[in-house]
Amino acid sequence: MAVTQQLARIPQGYLAACRQSAAASPDGDHLWDPPAYDVLDLDWAPALLKRVGEVAGLEEVRLDALRRATGGDAALDLGFLNTPPHAIAPFGGTPTGLDASQVVRVSELLGQIDMPVLLTALPADEGEAAALIGQMGSITGGLRAYLLNHFNALRHFYLDAARRHLHVVLWWD
C-alpha cells in the first residue's frame, strides 16, 4: 500500500467534537470520519509541486503558501488524531492543519500561482524534468499533466474550504 498525502476540510466544531470523543472514549476513539467529498488524496504530488516552484523561481510568499497548503501548520492541536489504535496517520507524523483564516490566505495565494507557466521552467525532456524535481520512475499520463491535475485539485480544494470557512487537516496515510 502506498503512503499518500490526505487533506480534509472540516468545520471547527467537527474538530472539537472529535477531540471530545477522544477524551471520552476509553481507547481514545476520536470518531474521525469526514465526508468523502471533503477529502482530497494528493498522492505523492506535494514534494514535486514544491520542487517545481523552487526550480521555476516562484516568489517566496507564493512558494511558502504552496508549502503550507501541503504541509499545514503545527499550531492546531491535532495530536489526539495520531493516538493508536485510532491514528489517522499510521505511516507518517502527527497530522497538521490550517485554521479557517490561514486557509483563506493560502487559497488567495494559490490562486495567484500560474502552474502551466511554472511547468515551462522544467526541461522539455520528461526524464530530465523528472530527475530535476526528484520524481523516480514514470507517471502514467505524463509528469506535467500529473502535476497540473494535482495542483488544480489542491487549488480548488482550498478555494472551497475558504469559501465555506473550514479548517484543513493534513496527514500521510
Side-chain angles (χ1 to χ4, degrees), residues 1-4 82 87-94 171-173:
M1 174 167 66
V3 177
T4 61
N82 208 36
I88 68 169
F91 305 108
T94 300
W171 71 99
W172 288 88
D173 184 21

Side-chain angles (χ1 to χ4, degrees), residues 3 10 14 17 24 27 48 91 95 100 103 113 119 136 156 158 164:
V3 177
I10 57 165
Y14 184 79
D27 66 350
L48 302 176
F91 305 108
V103 166
I113 296 174
L119 291 172
M136 305 302 271
H156 293 302
Y158 271 92
R164 294 167 51 203

